[in-house]
Amino acid sequence: MEAQVAATAKAAFYHLRLIRQLAAFLERNNLATVIHTMVTSRLDYCNALYMELPLSQTQRLQLVQNAAARLLMGLSVRDHIQPVLRTLHWLSTAYRIRFKNARWCWSEEHKALRDTDGERRSHREYREKRNITFHDNGTVSFLEYRHYHFEEDMSNGTESDYVLIPNLLVMGASVILENAIAPVRIAVSTAFSLFKQKAFLNRTVGEVLWGYEDPLVKFLNNIVPGLVPYGDKFGILVDFNNTHSGRFTINTGAADISKIHMVDNWNGLKKVSYWRSDQCNQINGTSGEIWPPFMTPSTPLEFYSPDFCRSMSMHYKESGEFQGVPIYRYGVSKTLFANGTEYPPNEGFCPCRQSGIQNMSSCRLNVPLFLSQPHFYNGDPQLLETVDGLHPSAEKHDLYLEMQPLIGVPMNVSVKLQLSLFVKRVPLIVQTGRINPVVLPLLWFEEHGVIDEGLINQFYGLIVLVPTLLEYLPYGVIGFGALLLMAMGILWLRNKGDLQAKALQTVDPQAIRQPDLTSAPLLQKDLSPNIHENNNRNRAL
């Protein structure tokens, strides 16, 4: 690098000598154009490579800039150079190098925010319940382990792609220590410098998500064991993969079906202690897998999430169908992440900033992390003004859950949330530079799940077809009975006619004889008057 600096300085001084011969014939504006074209452009070319160079090497480039400024202003070498540079609004060479590098980082950071919104890394989640224990009080306990496997076919990027993100260790620790005494902040800044920690990191997606070995983390854990959990690795989701979310104890519903899967306690706790109010610390609802059956539109969906250290509630939006099965569609209201000013019950989640983001620092090692909907959807518009590339929309960034109300089983789920980091300049910690206070998005994720097709067919048969058949079965039975009666009537009438015709065909009139009354002498006296009367009637006819 020393040879590169020497060659650049030599070429620049050569052109300055040539320009000096023409200076008397050029106006100042034209002279400035020539100097920028032939000299200062050489100082700016690839000057990002000059970062961290010793002062002895960058000073040679500063001499070139001083000579160019004096030539432009028509001054001698005896004149002080600093007022001249301020008049021309030229940064000194050292600051010029830093400014260009900082501007490049800024543009790349915002480019990443704009261009990576459409990029996604898909992982398939496998859940396994272990240590299942049934209790005498109608509850069951278990540990649910989660395993994530990268699905390359469903992604438009890989875990080996590099991304530029804020350094959580540097920026998070700086905000935590902003009120510490000056010697502590100086010592922290010195430690960052010794371990070459900067405000931004260029790491792969896999390292950012699942952790990477950091020498500073290892050093801190050697001094104070357990100061930074999860070993010597540091990452956003380092504690998610191949781990469990705590011991849940839930109701089995054997005694009361309306309490099935409702959380009795989590890690032995009836409520947590992360927040500042009892209402915010309550553990409500289920563990987020199954809800009690026979739901109505007025029934809220409540569940406790250990990952977010709080209970959440979803409300009925509309009715519909999912592959022919009737469902209730649930969503969240704007008050979910509202601050205490707009929604007083959320005061327990404070200290708060703008509405639409929740401070997670109290359950995340005091790191200033904030939870929200993606692109600050339903958040304060001020959040959008400080970060470029955000375009919130209900279609892309709202979360929903489609429930089958009769059995309390989710059919289609899409949970979308965003994790952001609050960054700012902290005096005496030089790594924070001059960063203005901003809630900077780190990533947003969507957890999407659809019930198995085989179960959908079973639910369709049990919930749709069987009730429909039972509803119309009485009418079918009545109709079938009417048809049977009609058929029986027709057959009876037909058989009756056939019998009568057959009887007429088989009777012989000559075979009919008068009864022999002589064989019944006792009846002859009584019947004879009637016989004579009938004979008289026949003669009259």
Side-chain angles (χ1 to χ4, degrees):
M1 192 58 66
E2 184 177 358
Q4 169 68 21
V5 172
T8 301
K10 182 179 179 180
F13 277 121
Y14 171 76
H15 286 91
L16 279 175
R17 287 193 294 270
L18 294 179
I19 295 172
R20 187 179 297 276
Q21 299 175 14
L22 301 174
F25 306 99
L26 297 174
E27 295 182 358
R28 177 170 294 179
N29 292 338
N30 296 332
L31 181 60
T33 301
V34 173
I35 291 175
H36 287 313
T37 302
M38 305 300 295
V39 180
T40 56
S41 62
R42 295 178 180 274
L43 301 180
D44 292 335
Y45 179 71
C46 292
N47 64 353
L49 299 174
Y50 302 152
M51 284 290 295
E52 307 296 337
L53 282 182
L55 184 61
S56 60
Q57 295 186 30
T58 58
Q59 185 63 26
R60 300 184 66 176
L61 301 177
Q62 183 61 51
L63 294 176
V64 175
Q65 187 186 48
N66 295 345
R70 290 190 175 98
L71 175 59
L72 179 59
M73 300 301 293
L75 302 175
S76 67
V77 295
R78 298 183 182 88
D79 294 318
H80 189 52
I81 194 60
Q82 289 300 328
V84 178
L85 295 177
R86 281 196 293 268
T87 301
L88 294 173
H89 301 287
W90 288 6
L91 290 174
S92 63
T93 303
Y95 285 104
R96 201 178 187 93
I97 294 171
R98 293 181 184 177
F99 175 78
K100 184 177 180 180
N101 191 63
R103 184 180 179 183
W104 177 83
C105 290
W106 182 88
S107 62
E108 286 298 312
E109 170 197 342
H110 283 68
K111 178 177 181 295
L113 287 172
R114 292 192 299 270
D115 295 346
T116 60
D117 181 58
E119 296 184 7
R120 66 178 183 272
R121 310 298 188 279
S122 298
H123 296 78
R124 188 176 299 276
E125 182 185 32
Y126 298 91
R127 296 192 177 191
E128 177 187 8
K129 289 182 171 62
R130 302 179 187 175
N131 299 344
I132 301 174
T133 305
F134 286 87
H135 307 287
D136 296 335
N137 61 350
T139 62
V140 58
S141 301
F142 60 87
L143 295 175
E144 187 173 65
Y145 283 80
R146 300 169 294 184
H147 311 277
Y148 294 92
H149 180 265
F150 179 65
E151 295 287 342
E152 187 173 359
D153 295 339
M154 301 173 62
S155 307
N156 54 9
T158 67
E159 286 193 327
S160 59
D161 295 336
Y162 278 85
V163 292
L164 185 69
I165 66 163
N167 189 336
L168 270 72
L169 192 59
V170 172
M171 305 306 296
S174 299
V175 174
I176 293 173
L177 298 173
E178 66 173 327
N179 296 322
I181 58 176
V184 172
R185 283 176 285 158
I186 294 174
V188 169
S189 180
T190 303
F192 288 155
S193 299
L194 290 175
F195 287 93
K196 297 182 179 180
Q197 298 283 339
K198 298 181 179 180
F200 289 88
L201 288 175
N202 192 21
R203 292 279 183 176
T204 66
V205 174
E207 290 175 331
V208 171
L209 293 179
W210 313 118
Y212 56 90
E213 292 187 357
D214 193 288
L216 180 57
V217 173
K218 185 176 182 180
F219 172 76
L220 293 175
N221 282 336
N222 288 335
I223 296 177
V224 183
L227 179 63
V228 182
Y230 321 118
D232 298 336
K233 283 190 172 183
F234 190 82
I236 297 177
L237 303 180
V238 67
D239 59 330
F240 275 65
N241 200 12
N242 299 320
T243 59
H244 63 81
S245 55
R247 178 177 294 277
F248 273 99
T249 301
I250 63 173
N251 285 277
T252 62
D256 186 355
I257 192 64
S258 64
K259 294 183 179 181
I260 186 171
H261 222 271
M262 301 295 286
V263 177
D264 181 75
N265 65 77
W266 175 75
N267 283 342
L269 301 173
K270 296 290 186 179
K271 63 178 182 178
V272 295
S273 57
Y274 299 119
W275 315 110
R276 303 194 305 173
S277 69
D278 289 338
Q279 180 178 355
C280 294
N281 283 322
Q282 289 179 356
I283 299 177
N284 300 324
T286 71
S287 61
E289 295 177 347
I290 301 176
W291 279 264
F294 312 117
M295 304 172 68
T296 65
S298 61
T299 305
L301 273 186
E302 293 183 318
F303 62 95
Y304 176 72
S305 172
D307 298 328
F308 307 130
C309 311
R310 60 165 292 183
S311 298
M312 295 187 180
S313 180
M314 304 178 71
H315 302 279
Y316 171 84
K317 295 290 186 181
E318 60 184 356
S319 298
E321 289 186 353
F322 180 75
Q323 298 189 16
V325 180
I327 53 95
Y328 285 170
R329 188 182 180 97
Y330 283 80
V332 296
S333 62
K334 293 184 178 180
T335 61
L336 178 63
F337 297 126
N339 58 21
T341 303
E342 291 193 3
Y343 189 61
N346 282 355
E347 184 67 31
F349 295 119
C350 292
C352 301
R353 296 191 63 82
Q354 297 92 335
S355 189
I357 57 176
Q358 180 190 327
N359 193 340
M360 300 290 294
S361 59
S362 60
C363 75
R364 290 298 172 189
L365 305 175
N366 291 322
V367 178
L369 294 171
F370 285 82
L371 186 67
S372 68
Q373 293 182 262
H375 286 229
F376 298 124
Y377 176 69
N378 281 335
D380 192 317
Q382 183 183 358
L383 296 166
L384 305 177
E385 298 174 358
T386 55
V387 180
D388 190 18
L390 299 182
H391 306 286
S393 69
E395 181 180 359
K396 294 181 178 180
H397 305 130
D398 200 6
L399 60 91
Y400 63 86
L401 193 151
E402 295 179 344
M403 293 287 302
Q404 210 303 306
L406 186 63
I407 57 178
V409 173
M411 307 290 289
N412 184 22
V413 180
S414 179
V415 178
K416 305 170 185 176
L417 295 171
Q418 175 178 289
L419 197 63
S420 305
L421 178 69
F422 176 63
V423 298
K424 61 178 295 186
R425 174 185 176 271
V426 177
L428 301 180
I429 300 181
V430 298
Q431 286 76 13
T432 59
R434 297 183 179 181
I435 300 176
N436 292 325
V438 58
V439 180
L440 188 63
L442 296 175
L443 58 87
W444 73 271
F445 54 89
E446 175 184 6
E447 186 172 355
H448 182 68
V450 179
I451 196 167
D452 183 75
E453 185 175 355
L455 289 176
I456 291 179
N457 295 333
Q458 293 182 24
F459 289 160
Y460 183 78
L462 294 174
I463 298 173
V464 179
L465 292 182
V466 172
T468 302
L469 293 175
L470 292 176
E471 180 181 358
Y472 291 100
L473 183 61
Y475 302 103
V477 171
I478 293 173
F480 184 69
L483 291 175
L484 287 178
L485 290 175
M486 291 176 60
M488 291 173 63
I490 292 172
L491 291 175
W492 181 77
L493 291 175
R494 184 176 178 180
N495 291 335
K496 181 179 179 182
D498 292 343
L499 291 174
Q500 290 177 348
K502 187 175 181 180
L504 292 174
Q505 292 176 358
T506 56
V507 174
D508 186 4
Q510 297 179 359
I512 302 175
R513 298 182 301 177
Q514 294 294 331
D516 188 5
L517 299 178
T518 59
S519 61
L522 295 178
L523 297 175
Q524 186 174 6
K525 182 179 181 180
D526 297 330
L527 295 176
S528 57
N530 294 332
I531 294 174
H532 292 303
E533 183 178 359
N534 290 334
N535 291 333
N536 293 333
R537 290 179 181 175
N538 292 331
R539 292 190 189 100
L541 294 174

